[in-house]
Amino acid sequence: MVQSLPTRAQVKEEETWNLKDLFATEEAYEQALKTVGKEATEFANAYKGTIQDAASALNALDEYRKLYEQLIPIGTYASLAASVDQTDDQAQMRDSKFSSMAAKISSQTSFLMSELSELSLEVLQDASAQSEDYAVLLKDIIKKKPYQLHPEVEKTLAAFSSTFEAPYSLYNTTKLVDMEFPDFKVNNENYPLSYVSFEGSWESNPDTAKRRAAFNAFSAKLRDYQHTTAKTYDMHLQMEKTTSDLRGYPSVIDYLLMEQDVDRSMYNRQIDVIMKELAPHMRKYAKLLQKIHQLDEMTFADLKIPVDPSYEPTVTIEESKKYIDDALAIMGKDYTDMVDRAYSERWIDFAQNTGKSTGAFCASPYGNHSYILISWTGSMEDVFVLAHELGHAGHFYNAYKHQSVFNGDASMYFIEAPSTMNEMLMANHLLKNSDDPRFKRWVLSSIISRTYYHNFVTHLLEAAYQRKVYEIIDKGGNVNATILNELKRGVLEEFWGEDVIINDGAELTWMRQPHYYMGLYPYTYSAGLTISTEMTKRVLKEGKPAVDDWLTVLQAGGSKNPAELAQMAGIDITTDKPLRDTIAYIGELIDQIEKLTEEIG
């Protein structure tokens, strides 16, 4: 039975992350905030109006880098403290105070990018040739030169940056603070419900009556907040549209893709090919679930049931370490040493508590180690999720050792490749170490229901829906709850066809994801997993040479664009071959699950 969640103060310290690695005391944090504010003013006074040539540009960038590197741990500390407890007023106020300070600093220092943009192409290329540390930043400035506004306009926009982040904060407040879920009833017995318990437990509960009742109760509460959440989202969209128009981009999609360093054909291909070619495989999987569980009908609320729920191993936090160490041993000692440190040095926040952000994420501040948020339920799924987040940690651990702060972060298009790679290594390690058909079926179904469902279905359907939203916004339109519900339902019906009943409440799924406030993020999950699927095949076939190639890719960070990074790994993502190969591979896995089901009987 799912229990009500404890408060943050009631959880064990060893299950929380140690933010003291960023700042030992609150006083140290406050002092750092004060110091960086003072130094930002000094920087502006010293360098504004001085950037005339390559030498003065590099001189200013050197000083700006010091300031930027000071801001990173301050912002990370404020954000992470708030993310584990949205009900903590002090943490929320600290985060808000930092956002205001960051907006002020951004406004003060906006002259730097404006003055750099006004330099000639030859001077920018000269500066780039002289300093590898700033090559990516300067290339970005050259690319965005046509879209740069008057320095005073840039300064004003920067001053409003914390206001532009307000819709996302409002979304989180609505979702994690104001939304309280009532108990739901099955056979005269009450069961507690929360965001975490629904997504971590009830959504995949093998008891059909409880699972569907939980879905209905969860959806009913979402429906109470649909209009507020839609208005919040529309506010975010209109700000993106205004910025895109001001800068002269042909569309919001083009504006958002500019940050990812990929062209529109790569974006559209990922959505169109999967919507059309993966759908038949996933419908087959849905029908298999219906047959195994002898369901009267297959509904949207049933799609997360495990193939074999009675076989789901439970895993302690300590046991998860051995699973992950063994699975990732192929990556080499330096990599697994990092994993061990993540456990021993408390990089990971395992606790379940009220007010904690849902899902999981990895924050990697430059100059420090990563921090991973997860709500540990003890299911094997958690091990896959943690391996995924440690993939992000491993990526930044390698990149930041070899790249400057401006070259360290890879494009969002590539960002999910190292994380999903770890999930694939975990699954293949488990498969290799057993001949039991039931265990093999459990592992294969885990790959489908978790790794691929999450990245190639859940997030891809978000992406297909998101593209429809931006098509409305690009035509000058607005959205409300009715429109968003219709769009989401339409995408779900298109993908699942007549094989899955899209029951009431499924259309509200758009309310559950924070990704819509992060640009064109959802489609990149499937892009990353396409790369990691192909790379995993290489690693399993070739061993160390392929691993060495992959580590070199991780170390490159953001010094190359996604197509170049994939090329270093021997994968050509400028064609549809890797994507079609991955979809075929998913089909093969589902065929194997079906065959093993018949064998097990």
Side-chain angles (χ1 to χ4, degrees), residues 55-342:
S56 55
L58 293 174
N59 193 24
L61 280 168
D62 282 337
E63 287 307 307
Y64 178 69
R65 177 163 79 166
K66 292 174 194 169
L67 191 68
Y68 188 62
E69 287 180 357
Q70 283 181 68
L71 266 174
I72 290 169
I74 301 171
T76 305
Y77 182 84
S79 168
L80 294 185
S83 70
V84 289
D85 190 359
Q86 294 278 340
T87 67
D88 181 339
D89 288 343
Q90 185 191 350
Q92 300 313 309
M93 292 307 291
R94 185 199 294 117
D95 196 31
S96 298
K97 182 181 174 184
F98 171 76
S99 290
S100 301
M101 170 65 91
K104 183 184 174 189
I105 291 172
S106 183
S107 180
Q108 283 178 309
T109 58
S110 67
F111 75 87
L112 177 65
M113 295 306 154
S114 293
E115 291 186 24
L116 288 170
S117 300
E118 287 169 359
L119 295 174
S120 70
L121 186 61
E122 292 74 25
V123 170
L124 288 170
Q125 287 171 336
D126 182 22
S128 180
Q130 288 184 45
S131 175
E132 208 176 293
D133 284 351
Y134 305 121
V136 172
L137 178 67
L138 291 165
K139 182 183 147 201
D140 201 44
I141 288 168
I142 292 168
K143 193 173 66 173
K144 291 178 180 173
K145 218 173 171 1
Y147 308 105
Q148 189 76 8
L149 301 170
H150 186 278
E152 286 304 312
V153 179
E154 292 291 351
K155 184 178 178 182
T156 304
L157 286 174
F160 274 105
S161 57
S162 68
T163 308
F164 294 153
E165 290 165 12
Y168 181 44
S169 299
L170 183 55
Y171 166 78
N172 273 327
T173 302
T174 306
K175 174 179 170 180
L176 300 170
V177 181
D178 287 346
M179 227 181 263
E180 287 189 16
F181 293 86
D183 292 356
F184 66 93
K185 191 175 279 192
V186 178
N187 297 329
N188 291 320
E189 190 169 350
N190 284 343
Y191 298 92
L193 184 64
S194 67
Y195 241 108
V196 172
S197 70
F198 178 73
E199 293 188 342
S201 177
W202 291 123
E203 190 176 29
S204 55
N205 193 289
D207 185 315
T208 301
K210 289 178 188 171
R211 182 179 64 255
R212 290 179 179 174
F215 179 86
N216 291 336
F218 184 76
S219 300
K221 181 50 68 175
L222 290 184
R223 195 171 282 111
D224 289 344
Y225 287 87
Q226 63 179 323
H227 300 294
T228 300
T229 309
K231 193 70 183 169
T232 302
Y233 183 38
D234 187 54
M235 195 192 317
H236 170 78
L237 293 166
Q238 298 307 324
M239 286 195 288
E240 286 181 324
K241 169 70 172 158
T242 302
T243 307
S244 167
D245 287 349
L246 277 174
R247 294 195 177 282
Y249 285 93
S251 73
V252 183
I253 290 176
D254 289 299
Y255 161 57
L256 295 172
L257 282 175
M258 175 69 86
E259 290 298 329
Q260 297 181 10
D261 211 4
V262 295
D263 63 43
R264 199 155 176 170
S265 67
M266 287 165 72
Y267 166 71
N268 285 328
R269 181 197 305 130
Q270 206 68 25
I271 297 170
D272 294 337
V273 174
I274 295 176
M275 282 296 288
K276 186 180 172 194
E277 297 186 19
L278 179 65
H281 295 301
M282 292 312 298
R283 290 175 193 176
K284 182 178 181 180
Y285 176 70
K287 296 308 279 183
L288 181 60
L289 283 178
Q290 183 180 359
K291 183 181 172 186
I292 290 169
H293 291 278
Q294 300 179 331
L295 299 175
D296 52 338
E297 56 185 17
M298 189 67 192
T299 76
F300 182 81
D302 303 316
L303 286 167
K304 293 289 184 77
I305 341 169
V307 164
D308 192 349
S310 62
Y311 201 78
E312 179 75 34
T314 54
V315 184
T316 65
I317 291 170
E318 190 51 45
E319 287 167 343
S320 72
K321 181 172 173 295
K322 176 155 177 50
Y323 274 112
I324 291 173
D325 273 344
D326 289 350
L328 302 184
I330 195 167
M331 294 292 289
K333 187 174 184 303
D334 185 53
Y335 197 99
T336 51
D337 283 349
M338 179 217 70
V339 171
D340 292 344
R341 283 182 60 204

Side-chain angles (χ1 to χ4, degrees), residues 234 238 241 245 252 469-479:
D234 187 54
Q238 298 307 324
K241 169 70 172 158
D245 287 349
V252 183
V469 170
Y470 279 118
E471 284 165 0
I472 291 172
I473 301 304
D474 271 329
K475 288 175 186 167
N478 291 70
V479 294

Side-chain angles (χ1 to χ4, degrees), residues 567-583:
Q567 199 68 56
M568 287 169 70
I571 302 157
D572 184 3
I573 57 169
T574 62
T575 72
D576 60 7
K577 187 180 184 303
L579 180 54
R580 288 203 151 94
D581 285 351
T582 298
I583 291 170

Side-chain angles (χ1 to χ4, degrees), residues 31-47:
Q31 184 55 51
L33 192 63
K34 196 173 165 184
T35 301
V36 80
K38 180 169 168 280
E39 290 182 8
T41 304
E42 290 169 357
F43 170 76
N45 291 338
Y47 290 93

Side-chain angles (χ1 to χ4, degrees), residues 29 32 38 41 69 169 171 203 214 264 309 372 377 392 463 512 524 536 538-539 566-567:
Y29 169 81
K38 180 169 168 280
T41 304
E69 287 180 357
S169 299
Y171 166 78
E203 190 176 29
R264 199 155 176 170
I372 292 168
T377 64
H392 288 306
R512 291 167 55 181
T524 65
T536 303
R538 270 201 66 199
V539 167
Q567 199 68 56

